[in-house]
Every structure is written in structure tokens, then in C-alpha cells.
Amino acid sequence: MKSFKNHFSLVIALLGILFSLQVFFIVDRAVLAYKENLAKHYSLVLVSQKTLVSEEILKLDKNFSELLELSPDSVIKELNSGFSQKNIELLKLTLPKFYKLKLRIYPSPKELADISQKLLKNSSIGKVETFSKTHDTTYKLLLLFKTVITVFAATLLIVTILLIFKELRIWQFKHSERMSIMGLFGAPVWLRSAVLFRLAIVDALIATLLSFLLFSYISTNDLVLAQFESIGIEVTLFNTIEDSLIMLGVSMVVSILLATFIVLGHKEEV
Amino acid sequence: MDKVIIADNLSLAYSNDETIINKVKFSIDSGSFVFITGASGSGKSTLLKSLYGALKPKEGSLIVGGVELKGVSSSKLNFLRKHVGIVFQDYKLVKEWTIEKNIMLPLIINGYEKSVTQNQVDSLLKHVRLKHQAGKYPLELSGGEQQRVAMARALAHNPILILADEPTGNLDDYSSQLIWNLLEGANSQLKTTVIVVTHHIPESMNIDYKHFHIEYGSIHEVI
Ligand SMILES: Nc1ncnc2c1ncn2[C@@H]1O[C@H](COP(=O)(O)OP(=O)(O)O)[C@@H](O)[C@H]1O
Ligand SMILES: [Mg+2]
């Protein structure tokens, strides 16, 4: 019980930090995956008087991925019957050409405006349809989602850090006494602080292990996975090796830093 | 005779406050037993603090166990403290450690082997009559018992010098007597120099001792 209480507060604080950090990662990955998903289903429509050479258009921007000519048949079908086959062939020649331009990324409204500008510089392109209205709404929703989650995680992070600063004084007081006594019997600084660093390292390991278990569970939980599936994206919620190493690194750095603060802040009483 | 402590023109003060010990000169022979008395607030604890280097001399020279404490480096101070055993009026035991571990502290710091350490702690626990309490924590013991633990800790590493600040201050007779016996024993059998700050010199002392009195910032020997 005694040792449990010794570890509890730092472990909780570290868990808070690791949790909010992982949430940042997940949101970042989700937004990226969602953007890719949007990019896959999004394209511009170009209207041109002349036939466009695919290579030349794709050269204009590194994010252009594919230029497809749209068959005029569908357009003509709209005009419907009454035309002879010959007339239709003639009409096809005079009709402007329609192209579908696919992008590698899902552009921001500004990027979209730039792309339009670039395309319109080509004299044969008469019109660029960006479907900007629907595009804007989707993009803004995406940003809102990202902002909300980020604010949530940041708040958690701030609360945790405040908690740590409050606890730091208590830890400082608790460890100060033992370190002073050890000093009075001639213990060098490394020996006086050994207990503290051992505690810090053990707590970092415990916190890492707990958040590893937590996120391993979350990342295989059917309910959570169904949520992401319903938005139509596939996100790595928890990258077992990479993310665990980051967690371990972060919790080690934070707790060793705290221990160092305590050792440096320690003054021998007179 | 060897001197374990030599003070010359020594002045002591807390930061920039008034001088508490003023330009005193005295020396203590190795292997002697010394009582220091004085009114409350006269500077007895202050002097003792200077002897284990917690308060640096403001002026003059103070040599303890061959180490000059004026401007002493922390490594030299640690070296000296490894050979000194201190008994504090408020015990200063580590609360989160068992009695046994508390007594072990000087042995760990001095790098004793595990087997030696355990034997030494067992024998000390017997001496202070706390064998049955070994696994308890300080706050589970009475004041007298805690002070006996502190006494055992001060003796653990066979120090050359024991400093005790009112070690029997407000203890029961049984604990007080036990502590006086242990201090006398260390002095007579191990030739340890013992310096004790106290209000009353016990009447039942079986050994020769010296008596210093502190008054108005100066020290004089009472003969
Ligand atoms: N840590 C301290 N800081 C400042 N002054 C102190 C401190 N400790 C003691 N003093 C002052 O030094 C004087 C001597 O105190 P002390 O040596 O504790 O007396 P005593 O002879 O009762 O042990 C007192 O006036 C006390 O107020
Ligand atoms: Mg005192």
C-alpha cells in the first residue's frame, strides 16, 4: 500500500501526458487518412477548346495525378434524339472537350484557387470547375474536427502539467528529508538521488506499460474500429513498436527531468 | 595527544545575522568524552552543526579529523562525514525506511559488504534492545525507541567521532540510561571521541570526561 501510494501520482500524471500525446497522433493520422480518402473521390473538371496533352497538364503541378478525357457521349445524350448519326459526329467535333483532373492531395481552398489560376493560364482551357462550395464545407468540417480534438487533448495536457507542478513540491519535500539525512552521513549526490531516479524510471516504465495496454485494447476494440470504418477511413490507432518507443521516451524524459529538478532544487538545511 | 578538533578564532553565524559563536579557541583530544552545556539559545546546536560541516565557519579556522572546514569542498566533507556518527535531538530517521534500513545507512554509504552489514545491524539492534522491532517504520515507535535507533545508526560504522545533540532530551529513564551506556561504551571500548550537548550531565558517569560551557558566544572549560 505504501509503495503503491509512492508511485500513484507520478504514474497518473505520466499517463495523462502519454494519453493526450497519443490522441494528438491519432487525430493527425485520422485527418491525413480522411484527406487521402477525400482526394481519391475528388476531381476538377476542365473545359477546353483543344485536345489537352496529359503530360503537359500534369507537369503544371506536382499534385496533379491523372488527367482523363470525359466522353462527350453523356453530354450529347442529354441533348437527345432527333439528330442523325452524322450530325452527332459533327457535333462531337465542335463541342469543347471535357477532362477530369485528379489530384494527389485534398487541397485547401487557397491551394484550390492557385490550381485554378495555373490551369487557366493555359490558353486552351476555357473553364475550370472546382465544385468549391461543397469542397469548402467538407474541408471546414475536417478542420473543426481536428481543432476540437486538439483542444481537448491540449487541455488534458495542461491540467496534467499543472498537477505535476503541484505534486512536485510535495515530492520535493518528501525526498528532501531523506536526501538531507543521507548527506549528513556523507552520501555523495549520486547516492542521495539514486532512490529518486530509480523511482522516476520505474514510474516511467509503469506508465508506459499501462498506456501500452490501454491503446492496445483501444486499437483492437470493435466499437472504436467501427467508428472509423463508418467515416470510411483506415487509421493506425496504435503503432505497437513506434508509438510504444515514443511513449517510453517521453515518459522517461519527463520523469527524469522531474527528478533532476528535485535534486537541483534540494538545499541542505542548516 | 592527537587532536580530533581544533578551533582557532572561530566565529559562527547564520547567513548575515548576528554572530552566535564569537572568536573562540579550543581543541578536543582524540578519544575524549566531552559534554557541552549552556543556556537554551546559547549556541550549543550551532557549534555542533559546525563540527559536521552543516554550518561553515564565518571567520577563523575549524579543523575536524584533519579536515579544514572553512571553504571545504563537498567531496572532502562527505569523506569526513563518513567517519562521524551524529545523533540529533529530533532523531532524523528516514520515515519511509524500516528501522533496520535506517541503521544500515552509514554502512551502505561506507560501502560495507552485505553480510557484514547484516551482522552489524543485528548486533546493534540487540544492543539498543530493538531486535523485535527491526521491520517497523520509525513512526510506529515511541520517541525513546526512535532515539535508540538513531543511536544505533550513529554507532553502526564505528565512527572516529560521535556528535550528539541532547540525545536524552525528553526520553524516559530506560532509554536515557541505555543511550548513556552506549556512548560510554563506544568511548571506553572503541576509543571513539564523543561530544554530547546536554542540559544535565548524568551523575552516574563511570568515565573521565571534559566539560565545556557556552555563554555569550564564548566557550570555556569547566574544571
Ligand atoms: N537555522 C537558523 N537560522 C537562524 N538562526 C538560528 C538558526 N538556528 C538557531 N538560530 C539561532 O541561533 C541561536 C543559537 O541557537 P542554538 O544553537 O539552536 O541554541 P541551543 O544552545 O539552544 O542549541 C539562537 O538565537 C537561535 O535563534
Ligand atoms: Mg539546541
Side-chain angles (χ1 to χ4, degrees):
Chain A
M1 200 59 209
K2 212 175 187 113
S3 62
F4 171 77
K5 258 204 320 215
N6 274 346
H7 290 285
F8 186 70
S9 50
L10 184 55
V11 168
I12 290 291
L14 289 173
L15 260 182
I17 290 176
L18 295 183
F19 183 81
S20 39
L21 205 69
Q22 191 63 26
V23 169
F24 277 126
F25 287 158
I26 292 175
V27 169
D28 213 49
R29 284 176 201 155
V31 167
L32 218 68
Y34 193 59
K35 270 187 175 179
E36 262 168 33
N37 194 38
L38 286 176
K40 235 184 272 168
H41 298 115
Y42 176 74
S43 54
L44 307 176
V45 170
L46 310 180
V47 185
S48 172
Q49 291 308 320
K50 288 193 223 138
T51 308
L52 294 174
V53 182
S54 177
E55 286 82 55
E56 266 172 37
I57 298 296
L58 295 185
K59 226 170 40 195
L60 290 176
D61 195 305
K62 62 180 184 337
N63 288 318
F64 293 171
S65 72
E66 202 180 5
L67 186 71
L68 299 167
E69 191 175 348
L70 293 172
S71 148
D73 295 345
S74 54
V75 184
I76 292 162
K77 213 180 268 167
E78 296 284 301
L79 298 172
N80 217 352
S81 54
F83 286 105
S84 70
Q85 193 57 37
K86 198 174 171 212
N87 281 342
I88 286 173
E89 291 304 320
L90 234 128
L91 190 65
K92 269 188 188 171
L93 285 175
T94 51
L95 262 180
K97 299 198 178 296
F98 294 87
Y99 291 93
K100 192 164 147 186
L101 179 62
K102 300 207 107 198
L103 302 178
R104 275 199 187 86
I105 55 152
Y106 190 68
S108 70
K110 189 182 170 305
E111 282 169 329
L112 202 52
D114 288 347
I115 288 171
S116 287
Q117 285 297 313
K118 250 185 219 171
L119 289 167
L120 286 171
K121 274 205 192 112
N122 186 319
S123 57
S124 46
I125 297 175
K127 190 170 165 38
V128 177
E129 179 55 63
T130 58
F131 308 101
S132 66
K133 245 213 165 94
T134 29
H135 170 271
D136 278 7
T137 325
T138 319
Y139 195 78
K140 277 178 188 151
L141 264 171
L142 190 68
L143 284 184
L144 183 69
F145 165 73
K146 189 174 177 173
T147 310
V148 166
I149 303 283
T150 306
V151 165
F152 161 74
T155 311
L156 183 63
L157 195 66
I158 290 169
V159 168
T160 311
I161 288 171
L162 288 179
L163 174 82
I164 285 182
F165 272 103
K166 193 186 139 278
E167 284 290 306
L168 193 64
R169 288 169 159 228
I170 299 170
W171 292 330
Q172 187 130 34
F173 177 75
K174 224 174 69 184
H175 294 289
S176 258
E177 194 183 27
R178 186 193 55 244
M179 292 198 295
S180 290
I181 293 171
M182 292 179 83
L184 289 170
F185 283 87
V189 173
W190 68 263
L191 188 59
R192 281 180 232 178
S193 18
V195 180
L196 188 58
F197 281 103
R198 200 164 50 217
L199 198 77
I201 289 170
V202 169
D203 285 7
L205 288 175
I206 295 176
T208 307
L209 183 72
L210 287 179
S211 62
F212 174 86
L213 293 175
L214 178 68
F215 281 102
S216 295
Y217 172 75
I218 290 178
S219 66
T220 52
N221 183 282
D222 290 340
L223 241 101
V224 178
L225 291 178
Q227 288 295 313
F228 281 94
E229 216 166 279
S230 72
I231 326 173
I233 54 171
E234 205 174 296
V235 188
T236 316
L237 290 180
F238 185 59
N239 199 326
T240 315
I241 294 174
E242 232 169 83
D243 289 356
S244 318
L245 282 179
I246 291 175
M247 282 178 176
L248 185 66
V250 168
S251 56
M252 280 290 173
V253 166
V254 170
S255 63
I256 288 176
L257 218 61
L258 285 174
T260 310
F261 273 143
I262 293 177
V263 171
L264 292 182
H266 170 72
K267 286 208 179 59
E268 221 182 292
E269 56 191 295
V270 177
Chain B
M1 212 174 209
D2 269 359
K3 306 284 186 198
V4 70
I5 292 167
I6 306 167
D8 191 17
N9 199 30
L10 172 70
S11 294
L12 299 172
Y14 291 96
S15 52
N16 290 322
D17 288 356
E18 56 167 327
T19 309
I20 292 168
I21 298 292
N22 197 8
K23 297 184 177 162
V24 300
K25 183 181 169 77
F26 66 92
S27 63
I28 289 173
D29 291 338
S30 183
S32 53
F33 196 112
V34 178
F35 283 111
I36 296 174
T37 58
S40 175
S42 58
K44 305 182 294 294
S45 298
T46 303
L47 178 67
L48 223 53
K49 282 178 205 166
S50 76
L51 297 181
Y52 57 82
L55 186 65
K56 305 276 162 12
K58 186 190 174 199
E59 205 185 336
S61 150
L62 177 62
I63 299 172
V64 178
V67 177
E68 168 61 78
L69 291 179
K70 185 153 195 205
V72 68
S73 69
S74 56
S75 61
K76 263 201 174 153
L77 185 58
N78 285 337
F79 171 79
L80 172 66
R81 285 176 173 180
K82 281 186 188 179
H83 302 287
V84 177
I86 318 171
V87 182
F88 305 90
Q89 193 170 4
D90 58 352
Y91 324 134
K92 290 204 196 301
L93 298 174
V94 179
K95 293 186 193 70
E96 63 268 28
W97 287 353
T98 60
I99 300 313
E100 203 166 33
K101 175 114 193 241
N102 267 284
I103 297 173
M104 240 175 239
L105 178 64
L107 298 168
I108 294 170
I109 292 171
N110 278 284
Y112 280 68
E113 271 186 43
K114 262 223 158 74
S115 56
V116 179
T117 303
Q118 195 56 55
N119 285 340
Q120 176 77 338
V121 170
D122 286 345
S123 119
L124 284 161
L125 279 168
K126 245 177 257 155
H127 272 98
V128 296
R129 312 266 186 275
L130 289 172
K131 190 95 191 83
H132 54 294
Q133 314 266 41
K136 285 200 176 170
Y137 291 88
L139 295 181
E140 296 168 355
L141 302 186
S142 74
E145 289 171 323
Q146 288 186 58
Q147 191 62 303
R148 274 143 60 194
V149 174
M151 191 67 228
R153 179 180 62 181
L155 294 170
H157 49 309
N158 295 326
I160 56 160
L161 174 65
I162 291 179
L163 303 171
D165 194 353
E166 304 194 31
T168 58
N170 31 36
L171 299 190
D172 54 285
D173 289 346
Y174 175 76
S175 292
S176 295
Q177 196 50 54
L178 205 58
I179 282 171
W180 290 126
N181 290 347
L182 288 166
L183 288 172
E184 275 184 43
N187 179 254
S188 60
Q189 284 157 39
L190 302 170
K191 303 283 170 262
T192 311
T193 310
V194 177
I195 300 176
V196 187
V197 166
T198 188
H199 277 296
H200 310 284
I201 298 176
E203 283 147 30
S204 59
M205 288 295 291
N206 302 312
I207 52 171
D208 284 343
Y209 60 84
K210 284 193 161 106
H211 176 191
F212 288 96
H213 190 75
I214 302 184
E215 204 170 19
Y216 307 124
S218 51
I219 299 175
H220 57 89
E221 192 175 347
V222 180
I223 303 172

